[in-house]
Amino acid sequence: MPPPLSEAHEIGFDYRDGDGVDFEPYPNFLDEHETADWWRAWTGNAELDGSEFRVFGQDGTGGLAAFWLVRNGEPIEQQPVVFLGSEGQTAVVAQNLPAYLWLLADGFGPWEAAQYPEHEHQPRPDARRTEIAERRAAAHRRSAGEVITAARDEFPDFEELIDSMCR
């Protein structure tokens, strides 16, 4: 795991009986076999292995958050962060790790970002995660809404791409 990701996740998330952040980070990325098993079950396509994803956490229903390895030759910190929901929801939620840190600082998790703006999430900015984002990604400061919009604008066809892989 990239150290900034681990640092931002180790604080834990407050679910607040559904009004908080629904996210359970993993201490390590899912291994390639677990990712392949999950991806094949999720898409219904036994020919795929999910190798383009590095899964780092889940929401309470089993939807997964991952880096999407779509930028050839770029380090994982520069790859977009996506959410692949247990009910088929898909979204690019941040353009890269620095943007993801600001998303967390603004009181959003991957699921809440994927549901934005339809979800009635009442974000609470997180002072500890803001401090981490200021130290690790000061030049990339944006609100959660700006992070989400920029990610969706850069990857407008993500949902259709994922749908095309499902059987």
Side-chain angles (χ1 to χ4, degrees), residues 2-91:
L5 183 68
S6 294
E7 185 179 3
H9 284 172
E10 71 186 14
I11 298 167
F13 292 86
D14 185 2
Y15 183 60
R16 294 190 339 254
D17 294 322
D19 289 330
V21 174
D22 182 5
F23 188 60
E24 301 166 18
Y26 299 154
N28 301 299
F29 291 117
L30 279 186
D31 71 34
E32 63 186 52
H33 299 293
E34 291 173 306
T35 300
D37 288 345
W38 163 77
W39 188 240
R40 289 174 180 143
W42 195 81
T43 63
N45 189 337
E47 298 173 16
L48 302 175
D49 64 6
S51 60
E52 64 271 34
F53 299 102
R54 294 295 176 273
V55 179
F56 59 80
Q58 69 178 46
D59 71 354
T61 67
L64 300 180
F67 286 103
W68 177 33
L69 307 180
V70 68
R71 294 186 173 121
N72 293 330
E74 291 292 324
I76 199 160
E77 295 87 355
Q78 294 305 314
Q79 303 294 339
V81 175
V82 300
F83 180 77
L84 303 156
S86 62
E87 301 299 318
Q89 316 92 318
T90 59

Side-chain angles (χ1 to χ4, degrees), residues 131-144:
E131 185 275 324
I132 293 167
E134 285 173 343
R135 261 189 307 106
R136 302 282 196 162
H140 302 277
R141 186 176 201 138
R142 289 186 281 180
S143 70

